[in-house]
Amino acid sequence: MGSKKTAEKEVDIFDLQSIEGIGKATEEKLASAGITSVLDLAAATPRELMELGISAEKAEEFCLKARLILMESGFLDKEFIPASEVMERRKALQRLTTGSQSLDNMLGGGVETQAITELIGEFGCGKTQICHTLCVTAQLPADERGLEGTAIYIDTEATFRPERISQIAEARGLPPKKILDGIIFANVYNSSHLQLTIKELGRYIEKFKAKLVVVDSIISHFRAEYVGRGTLAERQQRLNDLLHRLLRMAQVHNIAVVVTNQVQANPDQFFGDPNKPSGGHILAHSSTYRIYIRRSANNTRLARIIDSPYHPANAEAYFKITEKGVEDLQEEK
Ligand code: GTP
Ligand code: MG
């Protein structure tokens, strides 16, 4: 994707200097934040530019100009679309099996495309194991309730295990090598790196024909880097930006996005579960589906949907983690 010819105007989207007021020095500043094309600039917020030492006035002007260029050249989709098109997009919605029928049922048929599904729970409850399983099932044909695509795995905790993928594939009668080839892996070292990776994601989704993006976990770097109350607002704003990008990506590319989240002690709670999801309201509002997972008796797992507008409150499902990854309890017997 270099330049695109349209009736109106031809534009080289990698030529930032074609925007009035942007010279070599500004271009370099922008590049240092991963903004290397007119598309990046159009998707950036003036605030991001101000962090690079660009004045508020200029920052706003550059972002606006980038959007205008894209609109004039036909690159930018119209922001307003007819409801009939919304309906068409909804029809394209697909569902991905988790490996457990009861978990799928709880989700109304599986993990949905065009949405963010958030897995929440304490360490060892099985979030990473579910993500591994989904990377395998995503590659299944549609009649086996897969998405017939590859998976992109963004790992912030260094817990991705290709050996485990092999094992799950083999136990499901699938060729391990082929399944591993269908998972594109990215290690992410800090929250800025995560932001950059997600900004670039659209390109990789297209390139690898991905149908699933996993971010395991969405919160860990933010929690580690932002300590103390004073920094919370900035942390939440960055998290918000990330989640909006992910949701837009899910909708535009019709892919499933699965993120994991930890729990933190909830000092307000005297009865019931003493934990609550991290990330506060930002995560609660951005995720389409939030699934809370707990370890239960006999090494089984209990999943429960929380705050979903579409599912019955507190819908529950039991499942198990075995050599096949995620599966139903009765399959074991
Ligand atoms: P954190 O990332 O620490 O928050 O935890 P998590 O929720 O990601 O937990 P994870 O998915 O790593 O689950 C770990 C649990 O999965 C282990 O305690 C085991 O019970 C189970 N598990 C992990 N690997 C295997 C495996 O190869 N076979 C089986 N049967 N179970 C496994
Ligand atoms: Mg994990």
Side-chain angles (χ1 to χ4, degrees):
M1 183 169 63
S3 66
K4 186 176 174 176
K5 225 180 158 86
T6 66
E8 293 98 353
K9 223 178 203 176
E10 194 173 334
V11 55
D12 178 357
I13 62 148
F14 290 106
D15 184 12
L16 279 172
Q17 292 194 36
S18 66
I19 294 175
E20 202 190 315
I22 296 186
K24 196 161 171 31
T26 308
E27 188 179 43
E28 277 168 11
K29 272 188 202 166
L30 293 172
S32 73
I35 300 169
T36 57
S37 70
V38 181
L39 276 174
D40 295 335
L41 187 56
T45 61
R47 197 170 171 279
E48 283 173 71
L49 270 54
M50 283 159 65
E51 280 168 15
L52 302 171
I54 295 170
S55 75
E57 199 180 316
K58 288 273 173 215
E60 207 148 305
E61 184 189 320
F62 293 157
C63 291
L64 190 65
K65 277 186 179 159
R67 280 185 207 127
L68 284 175
I69 288 178
L70 293 182
M71 271 189 227
E72 281 170 10
S73 62
F75 253 105
L76 202 63
D77 281 343
K78 278 180 279 176
E79 296 274 327
F80 292 90
I81 55 169
S84 54
E85 198 176 318
V86 179
M87 178 118 139
E88 280 310 306
R89 283 192 195 172
R90 293 284 304 167
K91 273 193 210 151
L93 190 149
Q94 293 163 280
R95 288 189 175 86
L96 166 62
T97 180
T98 58
S100 152
Q101 189 63 54
S102 56
L103 198 51
D104 289 353
N105 291 346
M106 183 188 83
L107 290 167
V111 174
E112 281 184 9
T113 60
Q114 305 179 23
I116 298 180
T117 301
E118 179 189 354
L119 307 174
I120 309 160
E122 276 187 302
F123 68 93
C125 73
K127 303 180 293 292
T128 299
Q129 293 301 315
I130 298 176
C131 293
H132 278 62
T133 309
L134 291 173
C135 286
V136 176
T137 57
Q139 300 184 52
L140 291 170
D143 61 5
E144 292 173 44
R145 303 178 37 239
L147 298 176
E148 300 181 337
T150 66
I152 294 179
Y153 199 107
I154 300 173
D155 188 5
T156 70
E157 307 197 317
T159 52
F160 178 75
R161 294 288 175 274
E163 302 80 8
R164 178 67 172 134
I165 297 284
S166 266
Q167 185 191 33
I168 295 171
E170 212 155 330
R172 290 175 176 273
L174 302 165
K177 165 85 170 68
K178 188 161 170 266
I179 296 292
L180 283 168
D181 282 341
I183 302 171
I184 293 85
F185 174 79
N187 219 337
V188 159
Y189 304 101
N190 56 41
S191 66
S192 306
H193 190 190
L194 180 61
Q195 247 175 330
L196 277 182
T197 306
I198 287 176
K199 267 188 193 170
E200 305 261 294
L201 202 54
R203 199 144 37 105
Y204 294 106
I205 292 169
E206 290 288 316
K207 182 172 169 192
F208 294 107
K209 300 196 171 20
K211 288 297 286 183
L212 167 71
V213 170
V214 168
V215 185
D216 185 18
S217 91
I218 191 82
I219 195 95
S220 57
H221 288 316
F222 287 100
R223 274 184 94 179
E225 291 165 31
Y226 290 90
V227 181
R229 286 255 148 200
T231 55
L232 199 60
E234 188 189 329
R235 183 190 93 168
Q236 291 306 83
Q237 184 160 10
R238 291 182 64 205
L239 196 53
N240 191 26
D241 176 65
L242 265 190
L243 287 157
H244 272 101
R245 274 175 206 275
L246 280 172
L247 184 58
R248 202 168 151 69
M249 217 87 73
Q251 290 168 339
V252 169
H253 298 280
N254 192 26
I255 60 164
V257 172
V258 175
V259 305
T260 68
N261 184 10
Q262 291 144 337
V263 288
Q264 62 190 47
N266 181 6
D268 307 333
Q269 184 92 7
F270 287 106
F271 303 102
D273 199 321
N275 295 315
K276 67 173 182 184
S278 298
H281 295 304
I282 298 292
L283 261 168
H285 291 152
S286 307
S287 298
T288 325
Y289 301 109
R290 313 193 87 192
I291 307 170
Y292 193 103
I293 301 152
R294 270 199 300 115
R295 273 208 251 207
S296 191
N298 302 322
N299 205 26
T300 59
R301 262 80 178 167
L302 174 63
R304 177 179 293 162
I305 292 205
I306 57 173
D307 339 305
S308 164
Y310 315 106
H311 293 81
N314 296 333
E316 287 185 346
Y318 284 94
F319 66 95
K320 212 161 193 169
I321 294 166
T322 68
E323 58 170 3
K324 286 171 101 175
V326 172
E327 67 177 322
D328 280 321
L329 298 188
Q330 56 274 22
E331 277 183 46
E332 271 280 290
K333 286 176 193 157

